[in-house]
Amino acid sequence: MADQDFTTTIVVDQTPAEVFAAVNDVRSWWSGDIDGPTDRLGREFRYRHGDQHRCTFRVSALVPGERVAWYVVDNRFSFTADRTEWTGNTLSFDIAEVDGRTELRFTQHGLVPAYECYEVCSNAWEFFVGESLKGLIAEGEGQPIERTGPPVEQDGVPGVPAASPMPRVVEQAEWQKARDELLEAEKAATRALDELAARRRALPMAPIDREYSFATPDGPRSLPELFDGRDQLITYQFMDSGPGRRCPGCTWFTDNIPATAPALLAEHGITWVTISDMPLERLDALWDGMGWTLPRASSHGTTFSRDTGAGGGFMLSVFLRDGDRVHRTYSTTSRGLDRNAFVTGMLDLTAYGRREQWEDSPRGWPQQPTFYNPSAMPEGARAVSFGRFR
């Protein structure tokens, strides 16, 4: 129903007292960016997630083994028209024994489908309560967001930073042995990628029979004209998320393309063009605001994105020209793109990786939800991965 408060329930084998203690250990299941006491009745604590979300809570109920509640004193979102959504809400954790087990019912009183943030916030609570808090209760380990800043003291009570474990320390010889074993696996993966590249080169191609007129800073261009006289063309379809919004994944990917890439590709007979269904005026404004110099074209008003499989999403496509005849030889999307982003590839070489929850990392490694943030980021925000921004 349109006026129904968001609620979600978990059932665990631990006692109500253990569940109560876990709920109050907020930094171990929600976020390290929480400052102030979370387990003292009447006291306030503050939560922040970059520049996107800042919230002040007052602990309004604290009944051991039965109930915890927080009243939202103040809230600020950066991605909703009404930035104060949540202000005046109450978040409750009701604990009860049911058939020999313990039931925890979380409700955000006031978070209803009419809220602009409802989908994002309800999905976040499903994760943080349904997975992270449940994991903390049942297994002793939650999946909170890693702390991003220094602790802030509030009323004499310091915030608690999330400590990150480190790889175990061994002698050089043992490290070299482990590295050599990994190298063999890396070589096998490289050979597998070489085989995939060979199959990619052997793919047939399909003709593009429809004609398109793209708007560019230099005037309208046809698809053959986008090749700029070269034999091959690579396009990236940048998602159109609407005025005032943009796709964080597309922004991250584009940020990772060096300004020298088009010239370097041209040396190999390949032209690069980023295409979007955004009108050219909006596309130009985005490029100017981000300082990008990559060639761009607007497919607004055409069926190009739909015809090439991107639809309303994003996709990289490769084309080969035979005179005025254009053929598509390859396309990829989703995770087919992520290792083509320079920073993402470098993160994969580091001890903590991307710090995302889908990664199979050692126990206790710092991780955060891959797509915790809204799917479209506001103007002025900065992409920090394919799914997050601040």
Side-chain angles (χ1 to χ4, degrees):
M1 295 179 62
D3 59 350
Q4 184 173 354
D5 296 324
F6 172 78
T7 187
T8 187
T9 301
I10 60 174
V11 179
V12 295
D13 294 324
Q14 284 66 31
T15 66
E18 290 172 314
V19 172
F20 179 80
V23 170
N24 285 309
D25 189 7
V26 186
R27 298 174 184 86
S28 293
W29 62 265
W30 186 12
S31 173
D33 278 324
I34 289 177
D35 297 296
T38 61
D39 58 352
R40 301 185 190 180
L41 186 64
R43 300 294 291 274
E44 294 184 356
F45 64 91
R46 290 175 290 183
Y47 160 85
R48 70 182 185 276
H49 186 72
D51 294 328
Q52 295 173 260
H53 188 193
R54 294 175 182 253
C55 193
T56 300
F57 298 92
R58 181 182 301 121
V59 181
S60 57
L62 207 59
V63 183
E66 296 183 16
R67 180 177 170 84
V68 175
W70 309 330
Y71 175 77
V72 181
V73 177
D74 182 65
N75 187 80
R76 290 292 183 271
F77 284 129
S78 68
F79 56 89
T80 57
D82 179 2
R83 299 194 172 196
T84 64
E85 284 186 351
W86 279 33
T87 299
N89 284 193
T90 294
L91 285 61
S92 64
F93 302 80
D94 292 291
I95 305 166
E97 287 192 55
V98 178
D99 298 328
R101 305 184 74 196
T102 302
E103 178 185 273
L104 171 65
R105 185 175 71 255
F106 168 81
T107 305
Q108 181 166 344
H109 304 271
L111 178 59
V112 295
Y115 268 21
E116 184 179 350
C117 80
Y118 182 82
E119 182 178 0
V120 172
C121 296
S122 59
N123 287 340
W125 285 132
E126 289 285 6
F127 170 78
F128 285 113
V129 175
E131 296 186 36
S132 184
L133 177 54
K134 186 175 183 180
L136 179 63
I137 296 168
E139 301 173 13
E141 183 176 358
Q143 301 179 62
I145 301 171
E146 177 188 1
R147 188 173 183 91
T148 58
V152 177
E153 189 170 285
Q154 177 176 310
D155 296 334
V157 181
V160 180
S164 298
M166 302 180 71
R168 64 189 181 92
V169 178
V170 298
E171 296 296 329
Q172 178 66 27
E174 184 178 347
W175 178 88
Q176 190 63 57
K177 182 177 181 293
R179 176 66 190 96
D180 290 344
E181 291 173 354
L182 177 61
L183 180 59
E184 289 304 310
E186 289 176 333
K187 288 180 176 180
T190 297
R191 289 190 289 270
L193 289 173
D194 289 342
E195 293 175 5
L196 280 175
R199 293 178 62 182
R200 193 178 297 119
R201 292 190 296 272
L203 278 174
M205 60 184 186
I208 304 297
D209 295 323
R210 192 184 297 268
E211 294 185 358
Y212 307 98
S213 179
F214 299 92
T216 78
D218 299 318
R221 305 283 294 276
S222 66
L223 183 57
E225 288 173 331
L226 290 183
F227 281 73
D228 204 19
R230 301 183 182 90
D231 293 332
Q232 295 188 83
L233 170 70
I234 299 177
T235 67
Y236 178 75
Q237 189 75 31
F238 194 112
M239 186 186 299
D240 178 11
S241 298
R245 307 275 184 177
R246 63 178 184 272
C247 166
C250 294
T251 304
W252 175 252
F253 184 71
T254 306
D255 262 343
N256 274 266
I257 302 173
T260 56
L264 296 173
L265 286 171
E267 293 292 329
H268 296 269
I270 302 168
T271 297
W272 174 280
V273 179
T274 302
I275 297 176
S276 177
D277 280 341
M278 283 184 269
L280 183 60
E281 181 179 345
R282 263 206 294 130
L283 194 59
D284 287 344
L286 174 59
W287 251 238
D288 290 343
M290 295 299 296
W292 293 333
T293 58
L294 298 169
R296 61 190 181 276
S298 170
S299 53
H300 183 71
T302 76
T303 59
F304 179 78
S305 62
R306 184 184 67 195
D307 296 343
T308 54
F314 60 91
M315 178 168 284
L316 184 142
S317 297
V318 184
F319 302 92
L320 180 65
R321 184 172 64 89
D322 181 12
D324 287 335
R325 293 283 291 166
V326 175
H327 301 79
R328 183 160 61 153
T329 61
Y330 181 72
S331 67
T332 188
T333 188
S334 191
R335 292 211 60 203
L337 287 165
D338 67 358
R339 285 184 175 84
N340 290 308
F342 174 78
V343 175
T344 302
M346 292 300 101
L347 290 175
D348 285 344
L349 303 181
T350 66
Y352 295 129
R354 306 182 198 183
R355 305 187 183 210
E356 295 177 353
Q357 287 169 345
W358 65 269
E359 294 176 290
D360 184 11
S361 296
R363 185 179 181 86
W365 249 226
Q367 292 184 320
Q368 57 186 322
T370 308
F371 294 100
Y372 170 63
N373 297 311
S375 59
M377 67 185 200
E379 295 293 343
R382 180 179 180 183
V384 296
S385 76
F386 277 102
R388 299 190 310 279
F389 56 91
R390 59 169 177 260

